C-alpha cells in the first residue's frame, strides 16, 4: 500500500506550507485536511495549479465523529499512516488573550482536546517507524509559566495525562471563579489560554512518546518561529514556505531516534522542562518582528 502523510488544519498558513513541501518530497500520498470542506478543496485546487497533487478529506479535530469518519476512510483505503502533522489550532479572538471564558475554553478544546482525540482515534493507525509532529509555539515552552507548583509538576519525568488535565482545569477554574492571577504567567498573563494549550500539548508529546515507543514511532513538537499568517495578524519574519522547512526536516530527514523532544525553529533541540530559561513568548517580541 502507498505511504500516507496527513496534515491537519492545512488549508492555509503553516499547514498549507507543510503540505506543499510534502507534495514535492514525500514518496507517497499527501492529505490536505480542513474543518471547512469548501476552503480545503479550494486550497487543493490552488495547489493543483502549481503542479502539486495532494488529496483532500474533511477533518475537524474538535469533532469526534469527523475524526472517526477520517479514521475509517484511511483504514479502508490505505491501512495506516506514515506521517501525521498535528497543525490544526486556533488563537484568541482578542490578541491579548483576555477574552471571554467561552472563547478561552473553546481554544483549549481545539488546541489540546483535539490532540487527545487524535491520539485516541488516529495514532493507532500510525505505522511502525512512523512520525508524528505536533506544531507548537514558543508559547508552549515551560518558561512561560511562573507558577512554581505547576512548573515542578509538569516537568516531572513520570508526568501523567491526568496531571496535565488537572493543569488545564486549574486554569479554566481560575477563569470561572475570578481567581486568575496574571503573575502565574510571563508577560502579565497575555494570551494565557493559548500558552496553557501549548504547554499542555508539549507535555503530552512526551507522554505519548512513551506510550508508542514499542512501535518505534517518533513523536515530537516544534516551535516553527514567528510566521506571517492570519493568526499573527501579519507579524513575523517567516513566510509559510520558510516556516515549513524545520517541520519538514523533522518528519522527513531527522533521525528516527529523535523522540519526545521540543525543537526550535532553527532545529535546535531544547530542554522543555528547563523553566529557568527565557524561551517564553511576549507580545512585544512579536511586534518587534514586524516586517514592513
Amino acid at each position: 500500500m502507498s505511504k500516507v502523510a496527513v496534515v491537519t488544519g492545512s488549508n492555509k498558513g503553516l499547514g498549507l506550507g507543510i503540505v506543499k513541501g510534502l507534495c514535492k518530497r514525500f514518496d507517497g500520498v499527501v492529505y490536505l485536511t480542513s474543518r471547512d470542506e469548501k476552503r480545503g478543496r479550494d486550497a487543493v485546487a490552488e495547489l493543483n495549479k502549481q503542479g502539486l497533487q495532494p488529496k483532500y478529506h474533511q477533518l475537524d479535530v474538535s469533532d469526534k465523529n469527523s475524526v472517526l469518519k477520517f479514521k475509517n476512510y484511511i483504514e479502508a483505503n490505505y491501512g495506516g499512516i506514515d506521517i501525521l502533522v498535528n497543525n490544526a489550532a486556533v488563537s484568541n479572538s482578542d490578541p491579548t488573550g483576555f477574552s471571554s471564558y467561552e472563547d478561552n475554553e473553546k481554544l483549549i478544546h481545539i488546541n489540546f482536546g483535539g490532540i487527545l482525540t487524535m491520539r485516541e482515534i488516529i495514532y493507532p493507525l500510525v505505522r511502525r517507524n512512523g512520525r508524528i509532529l505536533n506544531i507548537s509555539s514558543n508559547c508552549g515552552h515551560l518558561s512561560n509559566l511562573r507558577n512554581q507548583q505547576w512548573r515542578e509538576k509538569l516537568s516531572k519525568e513520570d508526568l501523567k495525562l491526568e496531571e496535565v488535565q488537572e493543569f488545564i482545569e486549574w486554569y479554566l477554574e481560575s477563569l470561572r471563579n475570578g481567581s486568575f492571577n496574571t503573575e502565574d504567567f510571563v508577560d502579565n498573563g497575555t494570551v494565557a489560554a493559548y500558552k496553557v494549550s501549548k504547554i499542555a500539548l508539549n507535555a503530552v508529546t512526551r507522554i505519548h512518546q512513551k506510550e508508542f515507543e514499542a512501535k518505534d514511532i517518533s513523536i515530537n513538537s516544534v516551535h516553527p518561529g514567528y510566521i506571517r499568517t492570519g493568526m499573527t495578524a501579519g507579524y513575523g519574519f517567516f513566510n509559510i514556505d520558510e516556516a515549513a522547512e524545520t517541520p519538514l526536516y523533522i518528519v522527513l530527514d531527522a533521525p528516527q531516534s529523535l523522540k519526545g523532544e521540543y525543537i526550535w525553529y532553527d532545529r535546535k533541540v531544547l530542554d522543555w522542562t528547563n523553566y529557568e530559561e527565557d524561551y517564553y513568548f511576549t507580545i512585544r517580541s512579536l511586534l518587534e518582528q514586524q516586517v514592513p
Side-chain angles (χ1 to χ4, degrees), residues 186-211:
V186 299
D187 203 29
N188 297 314
T190 56
V191 295
Y194 190 75
K195 287 174 179 175
V196 166
S197 73
K198 291 301 185 179
I199 288 170
L201 170 66
N202 289 326
V204 297
T205 296
R206 293 154 55 85
I207 294 170
H208 291 164
Q209 177 62 67
K210 294 177 181 178
E211 292 177 359

Side-chain angles (χ1 to χ4, degrees), residues 19-239:
V19 167
K20 289 169 65 177
L22 286 170
C23 285
K24 294 173 182 177
R25 295 193 52 210
F26 178 63
D27 183 21
V29 178
V30 179
Y31 269 88
L32 184 155
T33 71
S34 64
R35 179 178 54 193
D36 184 286
E37 184 166 351
K38 182 181 185 306
R39 291 177 182 176
R41 293 195 180 279
D42 287 348
V44 168
E46 287 300 313
L47 292 183
N48 290 164
K49 293 177 183 177
Q50 301 175 35
L52 304 176
Q53 301 297 322
K55 292 184 178 294
Y56 177 77
H57 200 286
Q58 192 275 344
L59 177 61
D60 180 352
V61 301
S62 67
D63 180 348
K64 198 165 186 175
N65 287 331
S66 171
V67 179
L68 281 168
K69 287 179 182 178
F70 181 69
K71 177 255 186 185
N72 292 336
Y73 173 84
I74 291 294
E75 194 168 34
N77 288 275
Y78 302 100
I81 293 171
D82 300 275
I83 293 174
L84 172 63
V85 180
N86 288 312
N87 172 74
V90 296
S91 59
N92 288 97
S93 58
D94 180 337
T96 67
F98 297 118
S99 45
S100 68
Y101 171 80
E102 290 74 19
D103 186 50
N104 289 319
E105 183 183 42
K106 179 180 179 182
L107 181 152
I108 290 174
H109 174 64
I110 295 172
N111 294 4
F112 178 67
I115 290 295
L116 299 187
T117 300
M118 292 293 287
R119 182 261 173 261
E120 175 190 351
I121 299 171
I122 301 299
Y123 283 22
L125 290 183
V126 178
R127 296 184 177 110
R128 185 172 186 82
N129 300 316
R131 300 190 177 197
I132 299 172
L133 180 61
N134 296 325
I135 302 300
S136 185
S137 163
N138 59 345
C139 285
H141 192 271
L142 201 53
S143 59
N144 285 276
L145 192 58
R146 286 289 184 259
N147 182 287
Q148 189 62 24
Q149 176 186 354
W150 280 112
R151 292 201 298 190
E152 292 177 359
K153 181 173 287 190
L154 293 172
S155 60
K156 293 189 310 178
E157 183 63 30
D158 60 348
L159 180 68
K160 301 293 190 295
L161 173 61
E162 292 77 11
E163 293 172 303
V164 182
Q165 292 172 315
E166 288 171 7
F167 168 63
I168 294 284
E169 182 56 30
W170 163 78
Y171 169 69
L172 291 176
E173 178 61 23
S174 77
L175 297 182
R176 284 194 292 265
N177 64 27
S179 66
F180 174 71
N181 184 356
T182 59
E183 294 182 1
D184 282 329
F185 299 88
V186 299
D187 203 29
N188 297 314
T190 56
V191 295
Y194 190 75
K195 287 174 179 175
V196 166
S197 73
K198 291 301 185 179
I199 288 170
L201 170 66
N202 289 326
V204 297
T205 296
R206 293 154 55 85
I207 294 170
H208 291 164
Q209 177 62 67
K210 294 177 181 178
E211 292 177 359
F212 287 87
E213 184 63 40
K215 289 178 68 176
D216 198 25
I217 294 171
S218 65
I219 306 177
N220 296 289
S221 63
V222 64
H223 163 48
Y226 291 130
I227 313 168
R228 297 190 295 276
T229 67
M231 187 176 284
T232 62
Y235 291 93
F237 56 81
F238 290 139
N239 62 38

